[in-house]
Every structure is written in structure tokens, then in C-alpha cells.
Amino acid sequence: MKIGLFIPCYIDQFYPRVGIATHQLLVKLGCDVHYVREQTCCGQPLANSGYEDSSRSCANRFINNFSDFDFTVTPSGSCAYHVRHHYDFIQQTSDVVHVRNSTLELTEFIVDVLKKPLPKVTFPHKVGLHSGCHGLRGLRLAAASETKESAFNKVEELLNAVDGLELVYPERLDECCGFGGTFSVKEEKVSVAMGNDRIHGFLEKDVAYITSADMSCLMHLDGLIRRQGLLVQVVHVAEILNESVYGAS
Amino acid sequence: MGHPEEASRFLANADRAKWHDQTLWMVRQKRDVATGFVSEWEELRSVASAIKEHTLSRLDDYLTEFESNALLNGIKVHWAENADEHNRIVLGILSRRKIDTLVKSKSILTEECHLNDFLQENGIEVIDTDLGERIVQFAKQPPSHIVMPAIHMKRGEISELFHEKLGTEKGNEDATYLTRAARKHLRDKFLKAKAALTGVNFAIAETGGFVVCTNEGNADMGVHLADVHIASMGIEKLIPRWEDLGVFTRILARSGTGQAITNYTSHFHKPRKGQELHLILVDNGRTKQLGREHFRSSLKCIRCGACMNTCPVYRRSGGFSYKSTVPGPIGSILSPGIDLKKYSSLPFASSLCGSCSDVCPVKINIHDQLYRWRQEIMQHNNGQVQGKIFSRMAGFLLASPFWYRVLSSMVTGISKVFPGALKNSFLVWGNQREFPPVPRQTFRDWFDQNAGKG
């Protein structure tokens, strides 16, 4: 089984540690992981801004890069959602259909495809789980609080296997953090209000870390946390599962 | 001013914004509890959605079936292509009977048609009889929410307003006291009114009858005392059969307020003896929306307001920030169809979190339609040439591995030489947030040095 690793542009640039953790984790799980060096951006920032048309070449590039793999795996629910859900604006060739069906977010790939127990890891901390909306309601990584489906949560399933990790949720279980791509600058005031509310929901639960399967939400929350000097750290799920959280004991 | 500016204004009063957010979140929680008691909730949503989709697919047939059955019942049926026609029909009915006062129960359609202004300009006194609507009418404001029109106002402000308009004690904020004062005032109006106007929640093609749902019984109070009953409905309010109704009465109040059912679910089929019963079927852009493939299903909306209560943006920006009759997520997909330019900031007033779509009892894919309107707006927005050029350039650069690398090394390089540069160049992001620290190497650099070897 050949796995193509898609590292979203902002992770490549700002959070290589998340890309590294994802790569190492997949290797540990025995995957044949490939990193296509021609990869760029999936085009989501443009498309969500109403410029789907201008992002056509990004989408085609994505398809070309990943059509030879059995699965394309990415540590971002948002990018996986964009490819799966929005790539209907390019011609639906067999390559496009294949890539759209086989592009998975990291945790759903581990839970739904690999179905293997994770290597034993320890993370003896109180951790709050933030469900990124595109992963939650787009990819259905978990049952959203609005729906009356029976409860499940793929990210939680993986984190529950981590030794010493105490998982908690804020009182508003899965409210949006307010990142939303260009929304974060177009609607800055609302975005910041949402982010602060989210952070305080976690602080109320006295967490040491906020984790998520989506680094973009965490980038927004981290920006607020560091500006305000709050005592909580953001960490991607892959870093916990790979036991490579920076500065953690 | 677009939505971001209006939202900033609302958020400037942090305490009020927080209170607004928490109040509506409480309604969302009530909804969660109420829907939790219905084990087949998801199935109900699917059935409701299917009934509405089916009805919209042959709306013309059902409308004519409804009309002929309504006529047989003795209802006078009128057709209005737009708001102006609707308002003139109402005025015509009142003028013929020389009626100069109209009591009205809640109807968002008449807000959409700006009926009150029109009638008042023509010498008719209009009294909104829903408590929330009466409050905003006193305050000379439009409703800020379609189910809770005065949800933006605090009790103290209402007390102040009632003191001025109804002569209640200054500073008395007791809710029971204030409600009783409103009731007494409204009863007097009901007794004197010769005509009552109601909205329509559901109209049934098979029976030619219609249903009005309220919590205060004000629709019934008006209608039962008046000689003339006028009901105004958007043409999308139709359902095919009598037996379909139960699906909708079960989802409406649970979604909107967390009640099992509205306090009053009133069925109207024919005029009572000596009464005139008029029904106005209003298009006002609905046929156009029906013709838009991507946006057609927005007409499934039953106006429960659940998407407003759950929307993290609406709760923090307030209903007035949308400046459209129907605010919130559903308003943001309906309003651009009415005036693309005027409402062009609304589809962007969303993080696309999708909570609206999951909470919607008739399964409208609201967040998908917001995304779709963004594409329409950017395609039609010829004024914004800069954005178009920028997006084309960005699309080209981001699709090219070479240029992507050049940009990438620029980010890394600049931040190495001028550590503070990024903070300044992304001004808006940096107002209240730190920019992510730029690491020594990108993932690709790491890969080349480590994993990429052999």
C-alpha cells in the first residue's frame, strides 16, 4: 500500500514539527510513505474566498501529485475536506475521482484504514480536544453535537490509548474556534471573540495542552494564547501520538 | 457598511455581546435537550427534507391544487408577484371595508415586504401583537431574530420603553409586571380591530387550509375578533398532504425554542360565518431562487431560527449586523438572491463551520450554499478587479512548485534577517494574535536532510 503524504502549505512553512511527527508516525505504523516534492497548496484559501476558478491549477497539481498512491494522507481535516468535498469544479477524470476518494485525514486513516493499535506512547498531561469543524462536520471524524447520531470520535479513540493522558472537553463541546481561513482576517473581531471564548472554555477545565487534528485552528488559538501570555500550549494530535511534543516530559 | 464593520460595532460592547451569545446558546442547548427526546430525530429531518424537496420539485402543481381547494373552502385567494403587489392587495382589502386599524401577528414575510411602513403611509394604524414584535415596533426597530424579534434588548431597556409608551412604573423590570401591562394594552387593541393579519407556517395543498403557530395565542386573538382575516404566505410554505403536517409540527418548535410544540397550533380552513378570509400567495423572488440550481433548497426553510441560535457568528455579531430581513446563516443564503451587491458581505460572515447545516431540521446544506455564493459574488463582482488579479496570481504561484519554493524561502529568509518583519506585514492577523514563529527549516528541508535520503 503506497501512501502519499500531503503536508499543507502552512504546516510545511510554520509547523514542520507536525509534518515530521506525521511522517514518523506513519513509518512506525509500517506504512510505505512517500513525499512528493512537487506538492504545493490544495487551493482551499483561494476557493473559500470565492476564487475557486483561480485555484483550478492548484487542484490539478494536487491530483497529478497524488494519483499514483493508494491513499493520500494529511494531518489536516480542512485540506482533506476541501479535496474530497470541493474538487467537483475540475473535470472528474478517473484520477480525480480516485484521489478524491482516497484522500484521508491522518486520524481517520489510522482508525478506518490501518485499524492497527498504535505504538505505546505516554503523555501524562491534562489535554483538551478541539474538534476542527471541517474534520468534525465535513469528514465526520466524530458525531457532531447537533446531530443525534450515536456518539463516536475517531480522534478521541486514538488519544484514549495514550498512557497517562487525561482527555477533557470544554463545556461547549464542539463550537467553532473562529479561524475559518480568510474569515480570520475578514471578520477579525468576530474571529478573535470566538477564539478567546474557545480558549477560555479550555482554561476553565484547567488543561495544560489543547490538541486538535487541525493545525490551522491551533495556529489561530496559539496566536491569541501567546499574545495574551496564557499558560496553555497547543499541540497537534500527531505530535502526541508520535511522542514528539516539544518541551514535554 | 458590510457585516464585519457592523459586527465590530456590536462587539465593541463586550458585555452585551457576551450576554447575547450566552442567551442564544441557552436556546441552542434547549433545542439539544428537546430533540434528544425524539429517538427518530435524524429520520424526521430526512423525511421533512424529502417532503419539502418533493413539493418544490412540483410547486406549480401543488400551488394550483391548493388554490382550488382553498377557493372551495370559501377563502379568497390572491397572488402577489412582489412586495409591492402584496402590500397593495392588503391595502385594497382594508380600504373596501373602510378599516383603518390592523392587528398583526408575527409574519416575517410582511417584514420582507415592509408592509407596516406602506400601510402607515396610507393612513392605516398597524399594531404588531407578538410581544417581541410590539417591543421592536415601539423601539422603531426591525426584528433582530425571526423567532425572538427583541432578543437583542435587555429587560431594563424594555422597562424603559414600556414606561414611555405604556406608562408602566419607572424602573420596574419585573417580567410578569411588564408582560401584564403589554397584555392589557394589546387586549384593548384586539377588541377594537376590525381586521387581523397573520402569517402562515404551513399550507396544505390537499385541504386548502393553513396552519399558524404562535406561543402567545395572539394570532387567534386577532383573528377570532376581527371581521376580516388576511393571511400572507410565501409560496414555499406549501406541503402536499394533511398527513405531512405532523412531521413539521414536531420539528418546528423543538428546533426553534426547544419546546415540544408551539403553545398554539391553529388550523384555518374556511371563514367563520360573516367573516372574510383572504389568503395572499407571495412570490417576491422565490421563483427566481427556485430556478437557481445550487440555491433552490434554501426554499425548504421553515423559519425555525435554529441556525441563528447555533451560529457562532450570529450570536456574537447580533441580528442587525446582517442588515437583511432574515439574518443569520439562512438569511446569508437567501438575501444575496434578492440583491447580490447589497448583501455581498453576508456569505463571508461565516467560518463555514457547518453547525447551521447540522442543526437545520429540513437539512438545508447552508454552509455549502455560503461557499457557493462566495463563488458567485467573486465572479459577478466586476468592481473588484484587484481581488481578481491577486487571486489569479496567487493561484498561479501556489500551483507552481518553483514559485511556491521561492515564496517559501522568502518567508524563511526575511524572518531570519528581520525577525519582526512578519508581525508587521500581516497587520490584521497581528492586531490581536501573534504570528506563528518561523522555524529554521521547512518540512521539505527536513525531509531532504533526513527521511528523503535513501
Side-chain angles (χ1 to χ4, degrees), chain B residues 67-122:
Chain B
E67 181 191 31
S68 52
N69 286 329
L71 288 170
L72 284 175
N73 292 344
I75 299 175
K76 296 197 160 96
V77 181
H78 310 258
W79 296 83
E81 199 186 330
N82 51 43
D84 187 52
E85 266 187 39
H86 166 263
N87 294 348
R88 284 176 195 289
I89 290 167
V90 176
L91 181 65
I93 296 167
L94 299 176
S95 307
R96 263 194 303 281
R97 303 277 300 238
K98 299 195 168 43
I99 294 170
D100 58 6
T101 312
L102 178 71
V103 288
K104 226 180 95 203
S105 74
K106 190 153 58 196
S107 150
I108 297 300
L109 174 63
T110 59
E111 297 289 340
E112 176 188 321
C113 295
H114 302 291
L115 175 72
N116 287 16
D117 290 343
F118 173 84
L119 290 181
Q120 274 152 13
E121 280 159 24
N122 285 280

Side-chain angles (χ1 to χ4, degrees), chain B residues 220-234:
Chain B
D220 310 82
M221 199 83 80
V223 165
H224 294 323
L225 289 164
D227 302 332
V228 178
H229 175 187
I230 305 170
S232 295
M233 65 174 268

Side-chain angles (χ1 to χ4, degrees), chain B residues 312-323:
Chain B
V313 177
Y314 174 91
R315 275 188 271 111
R316 290 173 181 82
S317 71
F320 294 148
S321 63
Y322 295 81
K323 295 206 277 194

Side-chain angles (χ1 to χ4, degrees), chain A residues 37 40 52 146 184 187 227, chain B residues 3 355 371 398 434 444:
Chain A
R37 299 169 89 260
T40 59
E52 204 175 54
E146 297 87 4
S184 63
E187 289 269 6
R227 175 62 61 90
Chain B
H3 185 274
S355 182
Y371 174 88
L398 289 175
E434 292 295 316
R444 186 170 125 143

Side-chain angles (χ1 to χ4, degrees), chain B residues 183-397:
Chain B
R183 184 188 289 175
K184 190 163 173 291
H185 157 76
L186 287 170
R187 293 240 157 137
D188 183 47
K189 299 289 181 189
F190 282 130
L191 286 167
K192 284 181 187 153
K194 297 274 180 266
L197 188 143
T198 69
V200 170
N201 289 90
F202 307 103
I204 300 143
E206 183 184 53
T207 66
F210 60 93
V211 175
V212 181
C213 303
T214 73
N215 272 329
E216 296 164 25
N218 55 313
D220 310 82
M221 199 83 80
V223 165
H224 294 323
L225 289 164
D227 302 332
V228 178
H229 175 187
I230 305 170
S232 295
M233 65 174 268
I235 52 171
E236 84 282 18
K237 293 282 174 185
L238 219 52
I239 53 173
R241 299 165 306 181
W242 177 245
E243 68 176 88
D244 301 326
L245 181 65
V247 174
F248 294 95
T249 49
R250 290 186 76 196
I251 57 174
L252 177 67
R254 284 189 171 91
S255 299
T257 56
Q259 295 165 275
I261 193 162
T262 45
N263 293 344
Y264 299 85
T265 301
S266 308
H267 302 249
F268 298 96
H269 287 101
K270 53 180 77 168
R272 64 162 200 273
K273 224 174 194 168
Q275 191 196 36
E276 268 179 40
L277 177 50
H278 297 266
L279 189 120
I280 312 174
L281 289 153
V282 186
D283 184 323
N284 206 32
R286 286 161 177 76
T287 304
K288 257 194 199 154
Q289 189 80 336
L290 191 62
R292 297 183 178 112
E293 189 196 339
H294 295 300
F295 307 112
R296 177 176 301 155
S297 72
S298 62
L299 294 172
K300 291 193 289 184
C301 179
I302 58 170
R303 302 290 192 272
C304 71
C307 61
M308 286 156 215
N309 307 336
T310 202
C311 179
V313 177
Y314 174 91
R315 275 188 271 111
R316 290 173 181 82
S317 71
F320 294 148
S321 63
Y322 295 81
K323 295 206 277 194
S324 59
T325 304
V326 180
I330 183 68
S332 298
I333 61 170
L334 289 172
S335 304
I338 299 165
D339 188 336
L340 192 69
K341 205 166 174 157
K342 184 175 172 194
Y343 299 115
S344 65
S345 71
L346 297 189
F348 295 91
S350 162
S351 60
L352 301 181
C353 77
S355 182
C356 47
S357 304
D358 273 0
V359 90
C360 177
V362 288
K363 287 188 150 181
I364 302 172
N365 56 342
I366 302 178
H367 72 295
D368 281 333
Q369 295 189 38
L370 289 167
Y371 174 88
R372 193 48 55 203
W373 271 119
R374 292 181 182 189
Q375 314 305 324
E376 298 277 329
I377 285 161
M378 285 312 169
Q379 258 169 37
H380 288 98
N381 210 342
N382 298 324
Q384 289 198 343
V385 184
Q386 281 176 327
K388 223 169 217 174
I389 293 172
F390 175 77
S391 77
R392 294 248 177 255
M393 270 172 54
F396 169 74
L397 294 173

Side-chain angles (χ1 to χ4, degrees), chain A residues 136-137 143-148 173-174, chain B residues 25 28 31-32:
Chain A
L136 176 70
R137 301 193 189 83
S145 63
E146 297 87 4
T147 64
K148 303 297 155 194
L173 190 69
D174 50 18
Chain B
W25 180 256
R28 156 73 205 272
R31 172 263 174 206
D32 287 352

Side-chain angles (χ1 to χ4, degrees), chain A residues 5 7-16 18-20 23-24 33-35 37-41 43 45-55 57-58 61 81-82 85-86 88-89 133-134 137 140 144-149 171-176 178-194 196-198 216 219-220 222-224 226-228, chain B residues 3-4 7-8 11 21-22 25 28-29 31-33 35-36 38 41-42 45 310-313 315-317 345 348-355 358-359 367-368 371-372 374-375 378-379 384 386-388 390-392 394-401 404-405 407-409 411-412 422-423 428-439 441-448 451:
Chain A
L5 178 62
I7 298 298
C9 41
Y10 67 95
I11 290 184
D12 179 35
Q13 290 298 308
F14 302 125
Y15 300 102
V18 175
I20 295 166
H23 187 273
Q24 290 177 338
V33 193
H34 299 259
Y35 176 68
R37 299 169 89 260
E38 282 73 39
Q39 61 183 267
T40 59
C41 167
L46 280 169
N48 277 2
S49 305
Y51 297 116
E52 204 175 54
D53 203 44
S54 300
S55 75
S57 31
C58 289
R61 158 75 55 192
Y81 172 73
H82 185 62
H85 198 72
H86 288 150
D88 45 14
F89 66 95
C133 297
H134 284 171
R137 301 193 189 83
R140 301 289 171 198
S145 63
E146 297 87 4
T147 64
K148 303 297 155 194
E149 292 164 6
E171 204 174 295
R172 293 187 185 183
L173 190 69
D174 50 18
E175 194 181 19
C176 177
F179 172 63
T182 48
F183 173 81
S184 63
V185 289
K186 273 193 171 151
E187 289 269 6
E188 186 225 354
K189 296 280 172 16
V190 183
S191 166
V192 165
M194 287 165 70
N196 283 333
D197 287 350
R198 196 73 188 138
S216 55
M219 175 168 76
H220 163 64
D222 191 42
L224 293 164
R226 286 191 295 121
R227 175 62 61 90
Q228 296 164 39
Chain B
H3 185 274
S8 302
L11 278 162
D21 166 59
Q22 287 172 341
W25 180 256
R28 156 73 205 272
Q29 286 178 308
R31 172 263 174 206
D32 287 352
V33 172
T35 55
V38 183
W41 182 253
E42 293 303 327
R45 288 177 75 218
T310 202
C311 179
V313 177
R315 275 188 271 111
R316 290 173 181 82
S317 71
S345 71
F348 295 91
S350 162
S351 60
L352 301 181
C353 77
S355 182
D358 273 0
V359 90
H367 72 295
D368 281 333
Y371 174 88
R372 193 48 55 203
R374 292 181 182 189
Q375 314 305 324
M378 285 312 169
Q379 258 169 37
Q384 289 198 343
Q386 281 176 327
K388 223 169 217 174
F390 175 77
S391 77
R392 294 248 177 255
F396 169 74
L397 294 173
L398 289 175
S400 147
Y404 176 78
R405 282 300 135 200
L407 287 174
S408 152
S409 50
V411 171
T412 321
L422 279 177
K423 197 185 267 179
V428 178
W429 176 275
N431 279 344
Q432 300 180 69
R433 284 170 288 221
E434 292 295 316
F435 204 74
V438 179
Q441 53 175 194
T442 62
F443 173 79
R444 186 170 125 143
D445 295 338
W446 173 85
F447 185 83
D448 285 346

Side-chain angles (χ1 to χ4, degrees), chain A residues 101-178:
Chain A
N101 287 334
S102 59
T103 296
L104 300 184
E105 181 278 329
L106 175 68
T107 61
E108 65 175 345
F109 175 71
I110 296 173
V111 172
D112 295 343
V113 179
L114 290 183
K115 297 177 182 160
K116 262 190 197 172
L118 288 159
K120 218 59 213 121
V121 292
T122 306
F123 195 66
H125 300 282
K126 197 166 181 180
V127 178
L129 175 57
H130 169 72
S131 302
C133 297
H134 284 171
L136 176 70
R137 301 193 189 83
L139 303 176
R140 301 289 171 198
L141 297 183
S145 63
E146 297 87 4
T147 64
K148 303 297 155 194
E149 292 164 6
S150 43
F152 69 96
N153 190 326
K154 293 175 190 176
V155 187
E156 186 186 302
E157 204 179 310
L158 295 177
L159 289 173
N160 278 342
V162 176
D163 270 350
L165 188 148
E166 186 191 344
L167 193 65
V168 292
Y169 290 94
E171 204 174 295
R172 293 187 185 183
L173 190 69
D174 50 18
E175 194 181 19
C176 177
C177 72

